[in-house]
Amino acid sequence: MTQPPRLSRFDFPPGFLFGAATAAYQIEGAGFGGCGPCHWDTFAATPGNVVRAEDGARACDHYHQWPADLDLLRAANMDAYRFSTSWARVMPNGVTVNPEGLDFYDRLVDGMLARGLKPFQTLYHWELPSPLADQGGWTNRDTAARFADFAQFITERLGDRVASIATINEPWCVAWLSHFIGAHAPGQRDIRATARAMHHILLAHGMAVERLRGMGQPNLGIVLNFDYAQPATDSAQDQQAAARWDGIFNRWFIEGITRQSYPEIVLEGLGPHMPQNWQDDMPLIGQKLDWLGVNYYTRHLHAHNAAAPWPHLADVPGPLAKTQMGWEIYPDGLQHFLTRMARDYVGDLPIYVTENGMANADELSGGAVTDAVREEFLFAHLGATRRAIAEGANVQGFFYWSLLDNYEWAEGYEKRFGLVHVDFDSLARTPKSSYHALARALARND
């Protein structure tokens, strides 16, 4: 990468928020505090699904070490913390409240406020309680109604203190990656299950927003992930393949919410498998957002593959430098999605970069971690965010993924995204050079 300019908080509009993000299952330790089993526990216990069959039972032990972790955010001069509240911890069977779980999140939110951090809460970051998975999970319409109940209970406890609430994190991963590709829990590869999950996850969002709006809860949004789709060649077939992927990944969820419709290019494949009378749910799904979260990591090149079933496409390796995940580093994609969301979908609605980061094979040496490549990545994407603001996108914050090295789902503990290195044996935390670079960039003059 070309060395990007080292921006600071003063290169962004007044009030722009900087923070880092995490997710409950990835850092807390699901073996503590009365947390119930979730479908990730069983997915990880099934041979071949997760690297070394690792799970989130201990993770980073954030459940016990949260005060020190919040101190790391404060010491880095951050303004906000994006965290998630585990459904399986709050309601181990998906229905009945666990007081220990609520008490933990009480302490956590109060700890953020005591350190001057704005709590940005995500209700669902993938830990579906196993009893609900037993009933079909996201293929079952009833799961959406149970999610609205969860949203109500946790918000009755925390809603007076959080700065914002996101309903769902990355519905594409919840639905497509998990039910069509099968790479995440529950590991299905079934187009009928996919069609239902693609719809029901948005129905859950709509039901939760309706419930929380009825409670008078402000600042409700959703976090969508986006993948820059380009054709591998200029051929009409490759362009169609890229357009189809753009429809599946980038258009389905935002258009369901903002246009109360799904892209025809995707319904060509999913339409025959959709739930009966799905169109009747679109007004509920399409309730107004207060803000939109944009997660962005990479781009992919797509080629037409006539031999493959729908969606008839194949990924083609790209020429750019790649992260430890094998993802191309393409900051212009972030600028593209921020401006595209503002132009085509949400207008002047506040937008937050809710996740952006990279995995790198970081090593601890002499008590320190030097990750210059992550520094370059971070500042390049901050630059892309600033360009989007200059083009008129109402971007109001940037959350790096992630504060800590953590449980990276099917990759186990092998892929490191953190600003802070975690030794998964001792659980020692060591801020990396990228952490220190960001702390300097966010320093205030007061």
Side-chain angles (χ1 to χ4, degrees):
M1 292 176 61
T2 302
Q3 184 72 22
R6 292 306 172 100
L7 304 173
S8 78
R9 69 164 59 247
F10 302 106
D11 292 303
F12 290 82
F16 191 90
L17 297 177
F18 294 91
T22 65
Y25 191 80
Q26 293 180 267
I27 67 167
E28 287 178 3
F32 310 123
C35 186
C38 78
H39 66 173
W40 266 97
D41 297 316
T42 49
F43 181 79
T46 305
N49 283 343
V50 176
V51 171
R52 294 179 295 271
E54 292 169 338
D55 61 28
R58 187 174 76 147
C60 304
D61 191 21
H62 180 71
Y63 185 84
H64 296 107
Q65 303 200 34
W66 65 265
D69 292 339
L70 295 186
D71 287 344
L72 286 167
L73 288 159
R74 180 178 59 181
N77 301 310
M78 294 188 191
D79 310 302
Y81 176 39
R82 180 174 171 245
F83 70 108
S84 75
T85 43
S86 166
W87 191 354
R89 184 179 300 284
V90 174
M91 293 176 157
N93 65 359
V95 178
T96 306
V97 173
N98 166 34
E100 282 186 89
L102 286 175
D103 289 347
F104 169 70
Y105 290 118
D106 252 343
R107 297 191 298 271
L108 186 64
V109 170
D110 285 346
M112 294 178 219
L113 296 175
R115 292 163 176 80
L117 298 166
K118 293 181 181 296
F120 274 61
Q121 179 191 6
T122 299
L123 291 171
Y124 185 73
H125 201 130
W126 309 350
E127 57 287 276
L128 183 70
S130 291
L132 297 183
D134 292 342
Q135 298 171 29
W138 292 111
T139 69
N140 183 349
R141 181 185 179 89
D142 288 345
T143 300
R146 301 290 76 74
F147 177 71
D149 294 339
F150 162 61
Q152 176 181 335
F153 278 111
I154 190 69
T155 301
E156 286 174 346
R157 188 68 169 261
L158 304 180
D160 60 331
R161 284 161 288 156
V162 297
S164 74
I165 297 175
T167 54
I168 309 291
N169 178 77
E170 297 186 345
W172 178 86
C173 293
V174 175
W176 186 272
L177 184 64
S178 304
H179 294 81
F180 193 86
I181 298 174
H184 279 190
Q188 294 191 39
R189 297 184 64 190
D190 183 283
I191 195 169
R192 181 180 175 88
T194 301
R196 281 155 170 69
M198 292 278 277
H199 181 68
H200 292 155
I201 193 67
L202 280 183
L203 181 61
H205 158 78
M207 286 183 170
V209 170
E210 180 183 56
R211 188 79 61 89
L212 298 187
R213 287 244 189 269
M215 295 167 57
Q217 188 68 33
N219 296 330
L220 305 177
I222 191 170
V223 171
L224 305 180
N225 54 325
F226 298 92
D227 185 277
Y228 194 78
Q230 287 189 299
T233 72
D234 291 334
S235 75
Q237 287 185 319
D238 284 2
Q239 291 183 34
Q240 182 74 355
R244 192 174 294 113
W245 188 248
D246 184 65
I248 293 167
F249 204 119
N250 301 320
R251 293 176 53 201
W252 178 275
F253 301 102
I254 190 64
E255 291 187 8
I257 294 168
T258 63
R259 299 181 181 177
Q260 299 183 26
S261 64
Y262 294 133
E264 286 298 326
I265 198 170
V266 186
L267 286 174
E268 291 171 5
L270 292 187
H273 311 286
M274 291 288 286
Q276 189 174 11
N277 300 321
W278 62 266
Q279 297 92 337
D280 296 343
D281 295 325
M282 299 314 291
L284 180 56
I285 288 171
Q287 295 177 88
K288 182 181 180 299
L289 298 173
D290 296 317
W291 58 273
L292 174 67
V294 170
N295 289 3
Y296 171 78
Y297 288 94
T298 189
R299 75 165 186 176
H300 283 92
L301 305 181
H302 301 282
H304 177 71
N305 182 0
W310 183 88
H312 308 301
L313 58 82
D315 288 349
V316 176
L320 303 178
K322 296 175 179 62
T323 70
Q324 190 188 19
M325 294 289 290
W327 297 344
E328 282 196 308
I329 299 173
Y330 188 67
D332 287 349
L334 177 57
Q335 179 184 355
H336 163 83
F337 283 115
L338 294 173
T339 55
R340 178 180 176 184
M341 290 303 109
R343 181 189 67 239
D344 296 343
Y345 297 109
V346 301
D348 291 333
L349 203 70
I351 299 173
Y352 294 88
V353 179
T354 35
E355 286 183 28
N356 174 251
M358 68 167 290
N360 190 54
D362 302 317
E363 295 184 1
L364 184 65
S365 177
V369 179
T370 300
D371 58 339
V373 65
R374 183 175 285 106
E375 295 179 44
E376 295 174 10
F377 181 101
L378 171 59
F379 285 98
H381 286 81
L382 285 173
T385 303
R386 188 175 69 158
R387 292 194 299 274
I389 294 171
E391 292 182 18
N394 184 21
V395 187
Q396 296 193 1
F398 183 103
F399 292 81
Y400 179 81
W401 182 271
S402 177
L403 174 65
L404 304 171
D405 291 339
N406 54 43
Y407 180 71
E408 187 45 44
W409 306 112
E411 302 294 335
Y413 294 96
E414 192 165 289
K415 302 295 192 290
R416 294 180 176 270
F417 277 84
L419 295 169
V420 176
H421 180 277
V422 177
D423 181 315
F424 292 112
D425 292 322
S426 70
L427 298 178
R429 274 76 157 150
T430 304
K432 304 175 187 179
S433 64
S434 58
Y435 170 96
H436 296 297
L438 183 58
R440 290 191 296 270
L442 300 186
R444 299 170 178 84
N445 290 332
D446 49 28

